[in-house]
Amino acid sequence: MFFIGIIAISGIIFHIASVTLLGNIFILIALIWALGYFLLGRLQRWFQRKLLPFNERLYSRTLSFALKGKNSWFFVAGTLLFLIFSVMFFVARSPNVLFFPDNEAQYINILAEMPIGTDIEETDRRIKEVEDHVSDIITPYRHIVKSVLTTVGQGSGGEMEFAVDDTPNRARITVTFVEYLYRERINTNDIMAEISDELLGNYPGIDFSIEKNMAGPPAGPPVNIEISGRDFDRLISIANELQDEIEDSGIQGIEGLSMDLDVDMPEITINIDRDRARRYGLSTSAIATNIRTGLFGNEISNFKIGEEEFPIMLRLQEDYRYNLSSLLNQQITFRSASTGQIMQVPVSAVASPAFGKTYGSVNRIDMRRVITLSSNVLPGYNANRINEELRELLSGYNMPEGYSYAFTGEQQEQAESMEFLITALLIALSLIALILVTQFNSVIKPFIIIGSVIFSTAGVFLGIALFNMEFVIIMTGIGIISLAGVVVNNAIVLVDYTDYLHDRKRKELDIPEDKFLDPGTSLAIIQDAGETRFRPVILTAITTVLGLLPLAMGLNINLVTFMTEFRPQIYFGGDNAAFWSPMAWTVIFGLTVATFLTLVIVPAMYQIILVTRRKATKWLKGD
């Protein structure tokens, strides 16, 4: 108490001397010390003297009952049934499966696309109407909106689009929100859903795609169907048929399904009359160069200011440049090859325009032409469920020979990541088993440890299903692999300590290694090993679970303001919490069940193996 008072007074003195940070540190130390002395110390003594001995006695009776007679078989069989029940319950609950955690939007991109060929001024006029509408929608949430930015033309693509071409028919409205701490628990995904409901279908001629910032690495659209084949016209027909079939199916949650191929791109083709051009002595290259110079310009010199150079471009004025008649009536100046005289011939004398439509860029994968149907998923819907419905729908489509479709994008990345995690877990378990075989000089004992790892996943499936959480492939997979490391460590120490007690007892009784101890003695050794390892195992589990709870619940503390202003700004949730929480809950659920498995089921499996080996040895010897 005396030292606590001294530290607290020192902190107050530092505050008076305007050394705020140092004063806060001293006061914080005094508070923690006082908390430990008056509350945590008593809680610690109650835990050590009351709760822990009570649990030890309870565990001793439970373990004694589990090892008695054939009870060990019932306990192991019950654990196996519990694992099967957990998996079946998980499947029955059918939780949402996600590739990466579903984050709350930090910003929302409203992508608007108008028909190809739309003038940028018309795009700007239409997007101003949309911008005013969006402004009305977010009016109730103005206090959490940081900015609204509208981009028209170049640079108006989505988050993962890297197009550098001019896109006068496209625009983007970006709504950026303040940090999670200042959002007053308003879910920005709900705002995104409200914007989507208000805009989709209410603006004829404008295709909207609404997306938020990505929570993980680029993985492609959540709905992405690649259709491949040889003949391009046939491929376009198949893509249109599939798009119509999906749109008519009524599957909910699909937002703005579209092809990645522009089939209505306007085009002006200049057809050169080669006979006329030959009579004038003109080459097709000279005609094309003349048109290109008038439209795009040609660098004829440089203008230098200091060390900077600026190109001087020769081309038609803007009024004539975008006027087709003016462009075709410009004179081609050349020297006649036959007479040597300078001649001028208008472009229209040797060429004529033709209006039509063409395709955009043709995509190929493995030398096969590919058209992709893709879309976002509306907020509140699950991409995996939608793709399952799409697979079921398209399974009845009669795909012509030589043509095929595949679900790629996020679905492909998800399948590959799941395969990688499963492979990593199997490799880890195989290496663990190999090391354990060499360590214990036994093939059977490692199965006890590997079995405890497999059984521990029951807690993961049961916890996720019981609390109706989302199964996040990446983070849950990492959590299961992390859980395996903790479970393996506890099981190894318990089995190794049991072997150590057996070896020590053989030496005391002078019994050879190939002989078995008395069944009662072996049972007492297994019981003693479990009771000895109870405290390390239970304390490891408690500290791990308590340490992960703040991460699982998303507890946030601003240490800077806490130390400088005594303002911790405590809140729960946030982007980091959404990302790491699934992994933390996985370890918590799994470790809670794995603690029981390590303390009870591992000794039970050890007892089963010991009894089975004893009976097998007697049977082989004919006893």
Side-chain angles (χ1 to χ4, degrees):
M1 284 296 297
F2 175 74
F3 290 106
I4 295 174
I6 292 295
I7 294 174
I9 292 172
S10 301
I12 295 173
I13 293 173
F14 279 119
H15 262 287
I16 295 173
S18 298
V19 187
T20 307
L21 179 59
L22 197 57
N24 288 342
I25 293 174
F26 272 79
I27 293 176
L28 181 61
I29 293 173
L31 290 175
I32 294 176
W33 200 336
L35 182 65
Y37 183 82
F38 291 106
L39 179 61
L40 297 181
R42 296 180 180 180
L43 186 63
Q44 174 191 359
R45 289 188 292 272
W46 173 80
F47 179 79
Q48 290 180 341
R49 299 173 184 176
K50 301 283 186 174
L51 184 60
L52 195 57
F54 170 78
N55 286 325
E56 286 177 335
R57 292 191 297 269
L58 180 62
Y59 168 69
S60 179
R61 291 194 295 268
T62 303
L63 183 60
S64 178
F65 176 75
L67 298 177
K68 185 181 298 182
K70 295 184 177 180
N71 287 353
S72 55
W73 291 90
F74 294 132
F75 268 75
V76 175
T79 305
L80 180 60
L81 291 176
F82 174 68
L83 174 61
I84 297 173
F85 166 78
S86 299
V87 175
M88 292 178 63
F89 183 54
F90 176 83
V91 174
R93 292 278 285 181
S94 185
N96 287 335
V97 179
L98 302 176
F99 182 42
F100 265 90
D102 186 20
N103 61 310
E104 289 191 25
Q106 295 180 353
Y107 60 84
I108 298 172
N109 283 332
I110 305 168
L111 308 177
E113 183 172 0
M114 298 171 202
I116 297 175
T118 304
D119 185 74
I120 193 169
E121 293 181 358
E122 175 64 15
T123 304
D124 184 59
R125 185 187 68 80
R126 294 291 306 276
I127 207 64
K128 282 181 179 178
E129 299 176 5
V130 178
E131 186 179 7
D132 292 338
H133 193 176
V134 171
S135 180
D136 293 337
I137 296 171
I138 64 175
T139 297
Y141 315 105
R142 273 292 178 183
H143 58 289
I144 67 167
V145 175
K146 188 176 183 180
S147 64
V148 179
L149 175 66
T150 302
T151 305
V152 180
Q154 189 173 3
S156 59
E159 188 172 4
M160 295 308 300
E161 292 185 32
F162 303 100
V164 295
D165 298 335
D166 290 334
T167 51
N169 63 314
R170 301 182 67 179
R172 181 185 67 202
I173 302 174
T174 302
V175 181
T176 306
F177 301 100
V178 297
E179 295 180 8
Y180 182 89
L181 172 62
Y182 307 108
R183 293 180 198 164
E184 301 176 359
R185 294 193 168 275
I186 297 175
N187 193 329
T188 52
N189 289 340
D190 295 337
I191 303 175
M192 179 178 171
E194 188 175 344
I195 293 174
S196 179
D197 292 339
E198 289 287 336
L199 296 185
L200 294 182
N202 292 329
Y203 289 87
I206 303 179
D207 293 329
F208 288 103
S209 179
I210 302 173
E211 62 183 26
K212 61 182 178 180
N213 58 293
M214 299 178 62
V223 176
N224 203 77
I225 306 172
E226 291 180 355
I227 308 160
S228 59
R230 296 177 61 85
D231 184 71
F232 208 58
D233 292 331
R234 182 63 175 141
L235 200 59
I236 294 173
S237 176
I238 294 172
N240 285 324
E241 290 176 8
L242 291 181
Q243 184 174 358
D244 293 340
E245 188 168 345
I246 292 172
E247 289 175 347
D248 295 339
S249 66
I251 297 176
Q252 301 294 318
I254 299 177
E255 178 197 52
L257 184 68
S258 60
M259 284 194 298
D260 66 339
L261 177 69
D262 296 324
V263 295
D264 292 327
M265 183 176 291
E267 178 184 58
I268 300 176
T269 303
I270 305 298
N271 297 314
I272 299 175
D273 189 329
R274 293 179 181 269
D275 291 334
R276 287 187 179 183
R278 192 179 300 112
R279 286 197 295 268
Y280 287 115
L282 284 171
S283 67
T284 56
S285 174
I287 299 170
T289 301
N290 193 270
I291 295 174
R292 179 177 180 83
T293 300
L295 185 61
F296 297 107
N298 184 31
E299 184 177 345
I300 58 174
S301 182
N302 290 317
F303 179 71
K304 190 172 184 179
I305 300 178
E307 295 184 356
E308 294 188 19
E309 290 186 357
F310 302 92
I312 299 176
M313 303 295 294
L314 173 66
R315 60 177 175 175
L316 294 176
Q317 292 183 5
E318 187 172 352
D319 293 341
Y320 302 105
R321 190 188 316 152
Y322 299 118
N323 187 298
L324 184 59
S325 299
S326 300
L327 197 63
L328 294 178
N329 286 330
Q330 64 176 316
Q331 302 290 327
I332 305 175
T333 303
F334 64 99
R335 183 180 294 276
S336 175
S338 57
T339 64
Q341 296 180 349
I342 301 296
M343 300 183 61
Q344 287 186 327
V345 176
V347 175
S348 58
V350 292
S352 59
F355 297 91
K357 295 181 179 179
T358 186
Y359 306 135
S361 59
V362 178
N363 296 322
R364 287 180 174 85
I365 298 178
D366 296 332
M367 302 303 295
R368 290 170 62 87
R369 293 172 174 174
V370 173
I371 295 177
T372 303
L373 293 176
S374 61
S375 80
N376 289 328
V377 171
L378 292 173
Y381 291 89
N382 181 257
N384 288 280
R385 296 182 188 274
I386 292 174
N387 279 281
E388 285 300 321
E389 294 183 42
L390 289 174
R391 285 190 177 91
E392 185 177 350
L393 173 69
L394 299 183
S395 62
Y397 182 81
N398 186 19
M399 185 67 68
E401 185 177 355
Y403 297 84
S404 62
Y405 66 87
F407 286 82
T408 56
E410 183 181 291
Q411 291 294 302
Q412 184 179 15
E413 292 289 334
Q414 178 176 302
E416 291 175 355
S417 298
M418 181 177 289
E419 182 181 355
F420 169 76
L421 289 172
I422 293 174
T423 303
L425 181 60
L426 293 177
I427 291 175
L429 292 177
S430 301
L431 292 175
I432 291 171
L434 182 63
I435 294 171
L436 293 177
V437 167
T438 58
Q439 178 182 348
F440 292 110
N441 195 24
S442 170
V443 180
I444 300 176
K445 288 178 183 177
F447 282 101
I448 300 176
I449 299 165
I450 301 300
S452 65
V453 174
I454 296 173
F455 286 150
S456 66
T457 58
V460 177
F461 292 118
L462 182 63
I464 292 175
L466 195 62
F467 294 99
N468 198 24
M469 294 181 173
E470 295 170 334
F471 187 89
V472 183
I473 290 176
I474 296 296
M475 305 312 297
T476 303
I478 294 174
I480 291 175
I481 295 175
S482 304
L483 173 67
V486 180
V487 175
V488 162
N489 180 62
N490 288 336
I492 287 175
V493 174
L494 181 55
V495 172
D496 184 62
Y497 187 66
T498 307
D499 283 348
Y500 167 74
L501 292 181
H502 271 89
D503 293 339
R504 191 175 69 179
K505 196 65 177 179
R506 284 195 185 95
K507 290 179 182 179
E508 290 178 1
L509 301 177
D510 195 19
I511 297 176
E513 291 186 3
D514 57 342
K515 299 293 184 180
F516 291 100
L517 293 174
D518 177 75
T521 304
S522 295
L523 189 65
I525 288 175
I526 298 173
Q527 177 87 19
D528 184 32
E531 293 175 356
T532 303
R533 292 301 307 167
F534 174 79
R535 286 201 175 196
V537 171
I538 201 70
L539 292 177
T540 299
I542 291 174
T543 52
T544 304
V545 169
L546 291 179
L548 286 173
L549 275 178
L551 183 62
M553 295 186 299
L555 175 63
N556 294 270
I557 300 176
N558 191 330
L559 292 178
V560 175
T561 58
F562 181 49
M563 297 304 298
T564 57
E565 306 172 17
F566 266 138
R567 200 162 51 90
Q569 296 183 328
I570 297 175
Y571 66 96
F572 291 88
D575 299 320
N576 289 331
F579 191 83
W580 294 106
S581 180
M583 186 195 73
W585 283 119
T586 298
V587 178
I588 290 172
F589 293 146
L591 192 57
T592 302
V593 173
T595 302
F596 171 79
L597 294 175
T598 302
L599 293 173
V600 178
I601 303 304
V602 169
M605 288 192 289
Y606 193 100
Q607 170 72 357
I608 290 172
I609 291 175
L610 202 60
V611 170
T612 304
R613 286 181 58 192
R614 187 183 291 114
K615 290 182 178 179
T617 304
K618 288 184 179 180
W619 180 77
L620 290 173
K621 290 182 179 180
D623 294 343

